[in-house]
Structures are given as structure tokens and as C-alpha cells.
Amino acid sequence: MMPPFSSDQPRTILIATSAASDLAALGDTLARYHYQLHAVSRGDAALAAAAGGDIALALLDVTLAGSASLELCQRLKRASGRVLPVFLLSAQPSEDERQRAVDAGAAAYLPLNFDAEHMAEKILLQLKAIAPAPIVAGTPTMASLEVNYHTILSGSPDSILLIQRGSSKVLDVNRSTRQLFGMTETELVQTDLPSLCPPLQPDGRDSRQVFDAYVERVMAGDMQVFELAMKHSSGRLMTCDLRMVPLNTPGYRLMHVRIIDLTARKLAAELRDGKNVLLEMIARGAPLRQTLERLVLLIEAQLDGGFCTVMLLNPDGVTVESAAGPSMPADYLAALNGLSIGPTAGSCGTAMHRKQTVVVGDILNDPLWASYREVALHYGLRACWSMPILLDQDTVLGSFAMYYKDVRSPTEDDRRLISAATHLAGIAIARTRREDELLRHREHLEELVSARTAELRQAKEDAEHVNEELSTALDNLSLTQEELVRRDKLAALGALVAGVAHELNTPIGNSLMMAGSMSERTAELRRDMEGGLRRSVLEAYLNEAASADEVVLRNLKRAAALVDSFKRIAVDSAGSQRSRFVLGDLIAELLQSLQADVRRHGLDLIEDVEHWLEMDSYPGPLTQALSNLIDNSLVHGFDHARRSDGAITIIAHDGGNGEIAITVSDNGAGIPAANLARIYDPFFTTRLGSGGSGLGLYITHNIVTGVLGGHIEVSSLEGKGASFTMRLPKVAPR
């Protein structure tokens, strides 16, 4: 009886495993008891699910449970906040691991490849959703129950034998066993099990020795199921699975043997694999006769004493030719060549004439074989079934035939087999014919190509003449291009040198002017000393010297700062340290250092960063680039008046394709459209004379496109703010 459903109890069963499993059957069984299954593949996901509080029981793969102490088992219990039973699942159970599971507090230790019904029962019993079966007084247990073995054996649908261990003598069999071997019970109980096998197994080993070795392994507990070649009373070989269970009774040593005939399954697998090989041969363009002979041998391996042939209908549509029949007499196949198809032309000729399957179960008495009966009987052929090979409903390619040396009719399996063989033969023949057609077209094309060769040769000569002229022009163009590139480089270098000279000229000129002035003042002081120096004159000189020192020192510091910024123009990775880092940590440290300066301008600093993005790059240059962009916003975006709503925003997210997109934007003054094309030029600034050198964005551009291996984009509307986006690879180029 199912206990009443309670909605306030956890109703989710958590299963955490990295192995791919089909959990549909388990989920269906648990659903009948109002439980649902929640599957995860990582330990952190399992902890998050347990913390949700709706987990009634957890199934945990030991590969996710942590180290030798299986600590995730305890962590799941603590995360749940309630009593949480945990079943540990192992792909390779061992006693050592079982003990560690007990020490970790697991409620059960079970194999990972569990049976869904068995696992559902254990879960429901653990959660008391079902009650165990009660033990009723007076009811026998299986341990005390005695039954008639022969009665059970007789009623089993499986083939079962009871043998004596040691002698392997057959003591009892059931009806299925008699049918399997085609023998009576009296015949079977007068033999031993190895005698039901061929003398040698397919690998050449003695069957009796192989069986005795398997029995020893079964008794040692090493195995219970093994494969053995056995023999039907007709001599037909069978591939069988034997499952053996030892039975110990007072005074007897017995073995329970269950036999499963795998022959049909093996043949089906060989047919499937053979079809794949044939299709590969066809796709590869193997010779037609080789392909058809491989097909015939494949089908013959599926038959019980049958032989196969493939006949082709010649292009005249009347006569036939033998294409394959490796197991048939060569003289018989030769006798078929050139025969005509017709309404009474044996099995193959009639099938091609009628365009339908023809079954002759007794060649001796069938009128279709009247003209060929003596030839067939000479080679011992008594039955022949033939199916036409059709390209389409009206086009016959040939026929596929099965021969037997006894009178018989096809079974449904035989009909399916000949149909599959005919289909494969049709594919191979059709492909060969298409290739022949392509060959004929190719030969025709070669004639056309030859006819066009003379015209093309003349055209080629004309084209070579034109090409010479174009080559000369191209050489001249290349020289001109190289000269233009050299001029552009010189112009860029000249602009850079001019900019450096312009920036340094002011502080150096101021220093020179002040030094010259103090030199003249010093000469005057010397002259005054010869006539007697007054205290007021000396004090005036010292005041002027102090003022001059301050001016010179300030201008020299300015020059030094400019030189330092010039040194950062040629940014490369040689002097930068490369490392793996978390982008969120780097940006957090940068913003902390800039927070005071941003607040001093009365602005908000907004961060929207996917914190755990990882990069293998150069943190120093990246920090410098970000700092330059923020400084650019402070200096140029908010250089006029303080705004109550002014803000600088940094956004970083995964841009896909192995890139990270970092955007620095503001809602300040923006960049005039006329200046957008020049913002990355060295020494270009709109704050000339206000302390800006015009190198910030130039250096940033060099860092992004050079060291960091990315690119930078800008968008701006005047009065609406500016936005710079750096798209950087997660792994910087080396």
C-alpha cells in the first residue's frame, strides 16, 4: 500500500554523476510516488541544489565526491540543513571504497550501472515511502523451501541442462534443449556436454579442454557466462552463450547450465558489417567483379548449404554473362555465358524476362528448367531461386540466384536475404554503369578539348604579350608604392619628431631664459661686490635666485615627464610581465586607486564586469590602457563644470570567439565629429596649454593593437558623451 502523500516533505531526488545515464525508467518509477528526479554533472551544482532545501535523497557518483575522504558527501548533508540520506555510486566497487563510503556517512554504497527498478525500491524504502514486506508466521522462506528441480527445468522456455561436475555427464534436459540440438532426451542423457561441441573450437583449441577450463573458472567464482561453439545433430555449428551455476546437494556435485543460441544474432551482425564493407567498396570504386564476389560470399555465409551467383544482362538486352559465383563449378558458370533470357530460361533467365522473382524448388520436375535440367543435375543442383536486379521499374541489370543441392523452398528469412543481396548488387552494378558512361563522356570531352587547344594556344600567346606589358606597369607601380610608403614613414617620423620638439621646447626654453637672466644678475652682483655689497642688494638677489630655481625646477620636471611619456609611445611586450589573471580583480584594484580622483570631480564610477573572466595576457599594459581612458574622460569629458549626474562606466563581458569586450564610457561633453579621425594621432589635444600632452589615446591605441593583440573602437555624440570599446583576445599573442 502506498503511504499518503505529504506536500510539505521534500520531493526531489538528486543524482550527481559525470557519466551519461538513461534515467527515464528511474524517473518514471519515482513519479508514481510523487518524487521527481533532478540530475547534475558537477559537485558545485549538487551543493547548490542541496542548499535549495527540497532534496529528499542524493545519489552521488564517487568520482565527484572529492578525495579519499569523499568529503562532498558530508558537505551535501550540511548544505541541506536537514537529514539528507546519500547513496554513493561507484563504477568499480571495492571493499576499500565501501569502507570509506561508510566512514563518510553514506546511507548506501551501490554500483553506478544500477538497475532502475532495484534502485527505485531502495530509495523508496530509505524514505519510507513504501514498507518492507512483512514476515508472516507459518510462511516458508526461500532458504527452507524445497522444490522439484525437474519440474522447474521442464517448464523453462530456455534451453537448460543439468550435468555432473567432473564428468560433465548430462543428467537432465528440458524440451527447449532437445529442440536446440535436434536430439531426444534418451540420446542427450547418454552423452556429456563437451560431446555436444565440435572437436575443435573456431580458434583451433580442443573443445573438451576449453569447456573444462571454463568450469574451473566458474567454480573459482571468476565467471559464469562464456561463449562456446556447439553442434546440432545435423552437423550445423551454433555459437552459444553458456551460463553455469554450481549446485551443491548432499552427496552430489551438480552444475545448472543454461544455453542461448547466438547463431542468428552473430549472422545478423556479420551481415550488417558485411553490408558496410560492401558499401565502402562501392563508394571507393572497387572493381565490379571483386565487389560482387564479396557479396556472394557474404550471403553464402548466411545460408545452410546454399550457393549463390550473379548474372549480368548484356547491353543487347537478350543475352547474359556470369559475373560472380566463387563457390559454383567454373564449367557451369561458363555454360551460362551467352544464353538468352525468356519465359522458360531457367530461374535466372525467366526472372530477368518477367522482371519478378522466380522460385524453383525442384529443378528435376519444373518446366522452366526443361532446356537446362541435364546440366544442373550433372552438378547436383536441385533448387534455384532467382530475383531480378532492376535499375528502375523497366530496366533490368541482371539477377541474383541461390542454389541448393536438395529440394527446398525459401523461408521468409531467405526471401529477405535474397532481397537485400539484390539491392546491394543493384547499387554496385548501377555505379559501374554510371562510371562507364562518365568515361565515354570524358573521352568525348577530350576531343572537344583538343579542338579548342589551338584557339587557346593563340589566346595564350596574346595574353602573354599583354601580360608582359602589365608586368612592366606593375613593376613601375610597385616602385611608386614603395616610394609612397617610404615618404609616409618619413612624414610620420617627422610629425613625431616635430611633436616631441614642440612639447619639449617650452620647458627647455623657459629654463634657458631663466638661467640666462640669473647669469646676468650674477655678473651685476659681482660688480656690486667690488664697490661694497649692501644687504638689500644681496637679499634682492637671493629672492630672484629662489624664484628662478623654482621656475627652472618646474620646467625640468615637466620636460622629464614628457620624456617619460615619449618612452611609453613604443609599447611592446618585451618589458611587460605576462600572467594569467582574473579580469574582475584587476579592474577592482584599478578602480580603487582612481576612486578618490573620480569623486573629487564629483562623478560616479559605475562597474558592470563579469568578474570571473580569465585572461592570459599583460596586466600592466592593460591597466595603463584603462587608466588612460578613464583619465581622458576626466580631463576632456568633464573639463568645464561639475555635473550632478556625471558618471564614468566600465563594462566587461565575454564577447565570444575567444574575445573579451571592455567598454569605458562617460556621459560628458563628447568628441566633436571633426576630431574623431584624429584622436589617436600623437600630440593631438584639445587642452593645449592645460597640461595635456596629446599622447594618452595614442599610447592606449599602441597598447591595445600591439601588446594586447586586439583592437579599439570609439563612438561619440557631441554633448552626449563618448564610449571606447577594447576587444581583446583572452590569450594575448606571444
Side-chain angles (χ1 to χ4, degrees), residues 503-522:
E503 291 295 325
L504 290 177
N505 185 60
T506 299
I508 293 176
N510 290 340
S511 298
L512 286 174
M513 180 180 67
M514 190 58 63
S517 175
M518 287 307 299
S519 176
E520 295 175 359
R521 188 68 183 87
T522 300

Side-chain angles (χ1 to χ4, degrees), residues 329-340:
D331 291 342
Y332 177 78
L333 294 177
L336 299 178
N337 291 332
L339 296 179
S340 299

Side-chain angles (χ1 to χ4, degrees), residues 216-424:
E216 290 182 6
R217 295 180 65 181
V218 171
M219 296 307 299
D222 185 34
M223 64 185 304
Q224 283 188 325
V225 181
F226 56 87
E227 188 175 294
L228 196 68
M230 307 195 81
K231 183 176 63 176
H232 189 267
S233 60
S234 65
R236 174 173 56 87
L237 293 181
M238 303 178 294
T239 302
C240 298
D241 254 359
L242 274 67
R243 177 181 291 274
M244 300 200 305
V245 179
L247 302 176
N248 295 317
T249 62
Y252 300 102
R253 297 188 308 139
L254 308 176
M255 185 76 75
H256 172 93
V257 183
R258 188 182 70 174
I259 302 177
I260 299 176
D261 185 3
L262 302 178
T263 306
R265 190 186 309 171
K266 287 275 189 179
L267 289 175
E270 291 173 1
L271 180 61
R272 182 184 62 250
D273 295 341
K275 286 180 179 179
N276 292 335
V277 171
L278 283 168
L279 291 173
E280 289 179 5
M281 293 177 66
I282 295 170
R284 240 186 3 252
L288 178 61
R289 290 189 178 273
Q290 179 183 342
T291 304
L292 294 178
E293 287 196 357
R294 183 68 174 264
L295 171 62
V296 166
L297 292 174
L298 172 65
I299 300 303
E300 288 179 347
Q302 302 283 315
L303 303 178
D304 182 15
F307 308 94
C308 300
T309 63
V310 177
M311 305 298 294
L312 296 180
L313 184 62
N314 288 322
D316 60 13
V318 177
T319 59
V320 298
E321 177 187 358
S322 173
S327 302
M328 294 290 283
D331 291 342
Y332 177 78
L333 294 177
L336 299 178
N337 291 332
L339 296 179
S340 299
I341 66 173
T344 58
S347 297
C348 294
T350 306
M352 285 185 269
H353 174 74
R354 294 179 181 177
K355 300 177 184 177
Q356 63 185 31
T357 302
V358 171
V359 175
V360 175
D362 184 2
I363 291 176
L364 181 61
N365 299 305
D366 196 299
L368 295 180
W369 279 81
S371 302
Y372 316 103
R373 182 176 297 124
E374 296 303 324
V375 177
L377 294 178
H378 174 73
Y379 293 103
L381 305 175
R382 290 299 304 274
C384 181
W385 319 324
S386 183
M387 177 176 282
I389 302 171
L390 302 175
L391 178 64
D392 52 46
Q393 188 175 0
D394 299 320
T395 307
V396 178
L397 301 176
S399 67
F400 189 96
M402 292 181 178
Y403 289 85
Y404 287 91
K405 292 189 175 183
D406 56 346
V407 176
R408 69 167 69 186
S409 298
T411 64
E412 285 302 317
D413 288 339
D414 292 330
R415 292 183 182 274
R416 283 194 292 269
L417 194 59
I418 194 172
S419 177
T422 303
H423 177 66
L424 288 171

